Amino acid sequence: MVNSQAAVLIEDLRVRRDKHEVLHGIDLRVPPGAVVGVLGPSGGGKSTLLRAIVGVQIVQSGRVDVLGLPAGSAALRSRVAYMTQGTSVYDDLTVRQNLAYFRAILGVARSEVDRVIEATDLGDVADSLVETLSGGQRSRVSLAGALLGSPELLVLDEPTVGLDPVLRGELWRLFRTLAAGGVTLLVSSHVMDEAARCDRLLLLREGEILADDTPAGLLESTGGVDTEDAFLRLIERATTDVRGVS
Amino acid sequence: MKPTATLATAARVLRQILHDPRTIALLVVVPSLLIGLMAWLFDTTPVFAQVGPAMLALFPFIVMFLVTSISTLRERRSGTLERLLTLPLRRLDIILGYALAFGVAAIVQAGVAVGFAIYVCGLDVEGSLWLLLGVAVLDAILGTTLGLLASAFARTEFQVVQFMPALVFPQVLLGGVFLPRDQLPDVLRSISDWLPLSHAIDALNAIARGTEDIGGDLLIVAAFALGAVLLGALTLRRRTP
Ligand SMILES: Nc1ncnc2c1ncn2[C@@H]1O[C@H](COP(=O)(O)OP(=O)(O)OP(=O)(O)O)[C@@H](O)[C@H]1O
Ligand SMILES: [Mg+2]
């Protein structure tokens, strides 16, 4: 296979949601072992793109290959882990019961439950019902579920939302460790200072890719002082381009 | 098939039920209370002896339908279903896991309801009590599997409740509770022959009378339950809009 090196390969992906086209022909190539930040304004299509990559999004046309297989293939289900935006865990179970259930389905070692509880710093609340946790704790339970086993690709939709800087720093160190071990991570975020920790950045706006570059490359091409500034410049440039045409 | 995923799902659903005292009460206590109310209502008449067995089909069926469809709907809306569908388990594992968990609940429910009807309300049963219990469980499982199927076509709790008049009430009206099925007008009679609840009620009545020729009725109820499970798994889509 020619493209077997790419962890994710997307060609001309179009997605309609509720009669509107929300992704207008996306092309993307994610190298293995990279941490890719998916950024952009709210409603820009980040979640839709991630859903297409894990194979839960009905797509209009185009090609989405993940680890050399069509997205959503049965063989990918134990190799790709997904954390949805919004916490997809059972409120009426404890943290440990949630993770034990996902572990049983994945068929990985029981010790994995303790490992991910530790990795997400949930030890103190491991036996509390999820409905009694704070928003940030809840989202960490959801993240812990995605860390079970040894997935080759992690697709995380806003994993650090609602977390304090110390915890965010710890999680990003974990992401970097995973990537150093060859795991590919796609992480969407609204927090721009997280962008600097990525190997590549993807800026999605109104269903199109405005930029797909390294953080350094982005600063250079836009002349921005930091990633936030660079993105603002890109978005401004795109907006004036549209005005110029019409 | 992957039995561990099915069993893990069933265990998880049971654990969720056990966390919620209201659901336990609805499942275990409410059908018996309603049967008790019926017995009291008809205390001075021979009516309860006639409709009592049917009540063992009716209330568990309705309660199971509601509880199952709403809990699977919650799974859909909370995003956990989307997560499950990206994990290595089959769609049938999810549906069977639910059917199994509520099947266990059905055994408890039917045990309590049958015991209550006979020992507290004085329902006369000529035939085998075990058979009566078995049919009551099967009937509750039918409610569960139809609830699973219905939730696939609903997006909100309100829509689930809209299925009650469509799927449940006609079966109740035509099931032979209000008027024995052989006295129904011909057209309604043939329709009622095609409704699974009618056969569950027929079977329970037959056991109460001591005639135990109920193989055909049980086969029909079981076929509907199985069909609903398979259809439920087929209508569960991994990809959504
Ligand atoms: N369930 C849905 N049904 C119909 N349209 C949807 C649905 N979810 C999202 N959309 C539309 O798709 C577009 C992209 O949404 P998406 O959720 O991918 O954005 P996002 O970049 O993840 O935004 P956010 O940062 O707010 O999470 C939006 O215009 C939105 O209105
Ligand atoms: Mg989003």
Side-chain angles (χ1 to χ4, degrees), chain B residues 72-84:
Chain B
T72 45
L73 191 76
R74 267 176 54 196
E75 176 116 26
R76 202 178 290 272
R77 280 159 66 82
S78 68
T80 48
L81 185 65
E82 176 160 313
R83 168 176 232 140
L84 291 186

Side-chain angles (χ1 to χ4, degrees), chain B residues 6 25 41 60 73 75 82 88 93 122 128 138 170 196 198 212 214 219:
Chain B
T6 307
L41 194 69
L73 191 76
E75 176 116 26
E82 176 160 313
D93 287 321
S128 154
L138 183 65
S198 310
E212 297 191 348
I214 55 169
L219 215 61

Side-chain angles (χ1 to χ4, degrees), chain B residues 132-200:
Chain B
L132 190 77
L133 188 66
V135 177
V137 171
L138 183 65
D139 166 74
I141 291 177
L142 175 73
T144 285
T145 57
L146 289 181
L148 281 171
L149 183 58
S151 75
F153 299 98
R155 277 209 245 150
T156 62
E157 278 80 355
F158 184 54
Q159 286 178 351
V160 164
V161 176
Q162 288 170 347
F163 276 110
M164 295 288 291
L167 273 178
V168 176
F169 294 166
Q171 298 205 56
V172 174
L173 288 176
L174 299 178
V177 184
F178 292 92
L179 192 66
R181 292 207 309 127
D182 49 19
Q183 293 170 28
L184 289 173
D186 284 347
V187 176
L188 294 183
R189 168 81 219 239
S190 350
I191 295 176
S192 86
D193 280 343
W194 285 95
L195 301 175
L197 190 64
S198 310
H199 295 278

Side-chain angles (χ1 to χ4, degrees), chain A residues 17 51-52 54-59 71-72 77-78 80 82 84 87-90 92-93 97 101-102 104-106 129 142 145-146, chain B residues 2 4-5 8-10 12 15-17 19-20 74-75 78-89 94 98 238-241:
Chain A
R17 297 188 86 164
R51 277 170 46 86
V54 290
V56 294
Q57 175 67 52
I58 295 177
V59 306
R77 282 180 206 135
S78 45
V80 177
Y82 172 45
T84 59
T87 51
S88 46
V89 288
Y90 300 100
D92 45 2
L93 295 182
Q97 287 169 342
Y101 173 53
F102 299 136
I105 292 175
L106 285 163
L129 289 180
S142 195
Chain B
K2 208 169 152 199
T4 51
T9 303
R12 185 265 297 171
R15 209 163 269 143
Q16 287 181 290
I17 297 174
H19 271 305
D20 182 13
R74 267 176 54 196
E75 176 116 26
S78 68
T80 48
L81 185 65
E82 176 160 313
R83 168 176 232 140
L84 291 186
L85 291 173
T86 65
L87 293 176
L89 88 169
I94 302 176
Y98 264 95
R238 283 192 198 266
R239 284 184 187 267
T240 47

Side-chain angles (χ1 to χ4, degrees), chain A residues 17-18 22 40-49 85 157-158 190 204, chain B residues 241:
Chain A
R17 297 188 86 164
D18 215 25
V22 300
S42 178
K46 301 182 292 294
S47 298
T48 308
L49 177 65
Q85 181 171 11
D157 205 347
E158 307 205 3
H190 275 127
L204 263 181

